[in-house]
Amino acid sequence: MLFTLLGEFVLPGDGTAWTSAVLAAFERLGVAEKATRQALMRTSNAGWLNAEKVGRRTRWLLTPAATRLLTEGARRIYTFGPAQAWDGQWVLVQVRIPESDRRARHVVRTRLAWEGYGSLGPGLWISPHADREQEAVRVLREAGVADDAHVFVARRTGLSDTVEMVAAAWDLPEVEVEYEQFIAEFRAPGQPADVLLRQLELVHAWRRFPALDPALPRELLPPRWSGTTAAELFADRHQRWQDEARREWKRLNSQE
């Protein structure tokens, strides 16, 4: 949740946050002061925040690495939704990783999944996003397995059913359950009593979906895909609540 707050309020502001403001925001979420302070220290120790003493107070500044990470995360989160157009091309990734190389297997599995790739079996990944070919290459290089991998961009020519292939690569029913829960949580109309709290909860709930949903083209999705409704709901609520939530954060983060 701390990264949600940093990306939603600190990044578009001046890149700084007083400890008191973070404590006040997290208190609304039901997080104890000790846990919030520990989260700040862990984030600082990981290189994402720098602490600056101003008298008896502490101000936290985003590091350049955090700014890059949050900027990319914001782009992915706020523009996420079903692909609008598709040229019918697929990216195929074939890689051999020894069972003993657990680190490489973890990197490839988690990073390719984050990029929307689905697995058709051991060492074989597919994606309908041809523009993510270089992302796959980068993941393979970072995992240290590029010499045992092949990446292709191609068109599917037939044989087994495309719907069955998609079902084998991605668990879309499970993703749809998550979308339906999101819709149920945030469909209520009107302005919430605590807009900052609800904006944090909204963004925190939505930021999971780029890792869950491969953002398939509409041609590959089931009829009445709830992800489309959820994306529209997120965009509407985020836009409606944004100004008031940022004003409230600015008030909390005031030095006065």
Side-chain angles (χ1 to χ4, degrees), residues 110-132:
T110 57
R111 295 286 299 282
L112 286 183
W114 170 254
E115 295 297 339
Y117 283 79
S119 177
L120 285 178
L124 181 60
W125 297 77
I126 62 171
S127 170
H129 301 288
D131 59 339
R132 298 183 188 175

Side-chain angles (χ1 to χ4, degrees), residues 8-165:
E8 181 65 19
F9 298 119
V10 179
L11 178 68
D14 63 358
T16 69
W18 294 100
T19 299
S20 58
V22 179
L23 291 174
F26 272 54
E27 183 180 13
R28 300 181 183 194
L29 293 164
V31 180
E33 177 178 335
K34 181 179 179 180
T36 302
R37 291 185 183 276
Q38 289 173 339
L40 285 167
M41 289 304 301
R42 285 196 303 270
T43 306
S44 176
N45 292 338
W48 304 117
L49 291 173
N50 287 327
E52 178 183 72
K53 281 290 187 180
V54 181
R56 299 178 62 183
R57 306 181 70 198
T58 301
R59 179 166 55 194
W60 300 92
L61 295 79
L62 296 176
T63 64
T67 298
R68 290 192 297 271
L69 177 73
L70 292 170
T71 300
E72 172 58 23
R75 182 196 65 78
R76 185 78 181 270
I77 291 167
Y78 301 138
T79 63
F80 181 74
Q84 297 301 309
W86 185 44
D87 60 4
Q89 294 195 101
W90 294 85
V91 183
L92 284 77
V93 178
Q94 189 276 325
V95 57
R96 292 183 301 172
I97 308 176
E99 288 285 346
S100 58
D101 196 343
R102 298 178 65 181
R103 174 197 166 275
R105 296 174 72 85
H106 175 75
V107 169
V108 169
R109 182 178 66 254
T110 57
R111 295 286 299 282
L112 286 183
W114 170 254
E115 295 297 339
Y117 283 79
S119 177
L120 285 178
L124 181 60
W125 297 77
I126 62 171
S127 170
H129 301 288
D131 59 339
R132 298 183 188 175
E133 174 194 3
Q134 289 305 310
E135 296 300 323
V137 172
R138 180 166 56 84
V139 169
L140 295 167
R141 285 175 174 162
E142 291 179 1
V145 295
D147 290 343
D148 289 312
H150 303 280
V151 179
F152 307 86
V153 176
R155 291 184 180 275
R156 190 176 183 280
T157 58
L159 296 180
S160 64
D161 186 69
T162 302
V163 173
E164 293 180 2
M165 183 184 74

